[in-house]
Amino acid sequence: MSEPGSPSPRSVSQTVADISAMCGEGRDAVEGAWHEATMYAERSVCRARSAIEDYFEIDKDFRMLGPKREDPNLVRDVHDFFNLFALIPVIVLNLVNWSFESLWNIMFHGAAWTSLQEMWQGQVGGLFWYVSLAYFLLDLTFVVFLPTSVKSPSVIIVHHLVTITCLLVPKVHPEYLWVMGACMFVELNTWFLIARRSCNKRAEKPFATGVSFAKSCRMLTISLCFYSSWFIIRLALNAFLLPEIFRLWMAHSQRCGSMFNLTLISVFSQLALVILNTKWTIDLVRSKLKSKSPSKGL
């Protein structure tokens, strides 16, 4: 017999059983909650919108179906028209400042690579800077007052503000104007991106029924230039420039005696560009590859 006031063996066993059951229920509840949280996170990631969806038709399985069919939008069309013409002097002036002779010798005569900086001649560097600044200010004004002209106005506004801030670096330190020129090569890809959309608002496919031969050739040429400039400039050149900009910042910091100087802006902005361009490239390739695979639907 048990002593008075002490729990009986039967009650102790019942208590242990209750605790075990409660622990089991708690474990099941935790596992269930964890499973739900994991599923929610996966759904959120899968449904996260990519920037490439502004320019390509992407289905729910993230397969690229082709160019995005554009709805009628006069403001957007005017903005595209402005960019197609306003970017031309920016691109041309940038190209004039470079000497591609060394690149030609490297490609076809086996010459040794020296540096990107040595290719910069800067004949019209000052004019190039002012024209570039004017373009970004005008385009920023356009988007601020007519936000329906672009798909993501806040992104464009932030981008232009950061770019305008970065333009202060070569203005204060002209020896870094070549870095600006190298970074501004990306506007060539931007031009083809806008041209690709503007010339094919109905999302037609080359050589399809009803599409003329001339238009098909134009579409293919623009697409080829867009994709090649994307990988050469947005991906390769920007990645190449990141350590160069970092090296210049370190050298400049040693000269001025402080790591917190104007050139630090370029390091952060270039790093952000490399990350974004890499992410967009992965999205672009992934959606393109998925479009080649058979659909899992009915």
Side-chain angles (χ1 to χ4, degrees), residues 165 168-170 172-173 249 252 259-266:
T165 304
L168 295 175
V169 177
V172 178
H173 304 287
W249 166 67
H252 187 82
M259 299 178 67
F260 298 98
N261 53 74
L262 188 60
T263 59
L264 183 60
I265 301 171
S266 302

Side-chain angles (χ1 to χ4, degrees), residues 44-256:
S44 299
V45 170
C46 292
R47 293 176 182 175
R49 192 174 185 278
S50 172
I52 68 169
E53 294 182 58
D54 288 343
Y55 304 96
F56 299 92
E57 198 68 43
I58 308 293
D59 69 4
K60 61 182 180 63
D61 296 319
F62 208 72
R63 284 192 298 265
M64 184 184 294
L65 304 179
K68 192 176 186 66
R69 189 180 183 89
E70 300 292 344
D71 297 325
N73 185 337
L74 179 61
V75 177
R76 182 205 59 221
D77 293 343
V78 172
H79 183 248
D80 285 350
F81 183 81
F82 161 76
N83 274 277
L84 288 174
F85 280 88
L87 279 173
I88 290 176
V90 174
I91 294 170
V92 171
L93 286 173
N94 190 17
L95 291 173
V96 169
N97 282 300
W98 294 88
S99 172
F100 296 97
E101 182 180 355
S102 57
L103 186 61
W104 178 271
N105 291 332
I106 291 170
M107 294 174 61
F108 299 102
H109 299 288
W113 168 259
T114 52
S115 69
L116 191 63
Q117 184 176 359
E118 291 189 8
M119 295 176 60
W120 175 262
Q121 303 298 309
Q123 298 95 323
V124 288
L127 180 61
F128 167 60
W129 187 89
Y130 281 108
V131 171
S132 299
L133 177 64
Y135 162 72
F136 284 113
L137 287 174
L138 287 172
D139 197 52
L140 176 63
T141 304
F142 200 118
V143 175
V144 168
F145 287 99
L146 296 170
T148 56
S149 60
V150 293
K151 297 288 179 63
S152 305
S154 58
V155 174
I156 301 298
I157 290 172
V158 171
H159 171 271
H160 282 15
L161 288 174
V162 172
T163 302
I164 291 170
T165 304
C166 289
L167 289 181
L168 295 175
V169 177
K171 185 61 177 176
V172 178
H173 304 287
E175 65 270 22
Y176 300 138
L177 195 58
W178 71 271
V179 180
M180 171 190 164
C183 292
M184 287 291 287
F185 275 126
V186 76
E187 300 307 328
L188 186 62
N189 177 256
T190 302
W191 193 93
F192 286 118
L193 176 66
I194 298 171
R196 187 174 183 271
R197 179 181 62 199
S198 299
C199 296
N200 192 17
K201 291 187 177 67
R202 292 185 293 180
E204 296 173 317
K205 295 186 177 181
F207 305 108
T209 304
V211 181
S212 67
F213 179 79
K215 184 175 182 179
S216 297
C217 291
R218 183 174 70 245
M219 290 163 58
L220 282 177
T221 302
I222 292 175
S223 290
L224 177 62
C225 292
F226 164 72
Y227 283 111
S228 58
S229 61
W230 178 287
F231 285 97
I232 294 173
I233 299 174
R234 283 195 182 273
L235 200 61
L237 179 59
N238 276 327
F240 173 82
L241 285 172
L242 180 58
E244 287 289 310
I245 293 174
F246 183 82
R247 179 183 60 81
L248 291 173
W249 166 67
M250 290 294 292
H252 187 82
S253 298
Q254 290 179 353
R255 288 196 301 269
C256 69

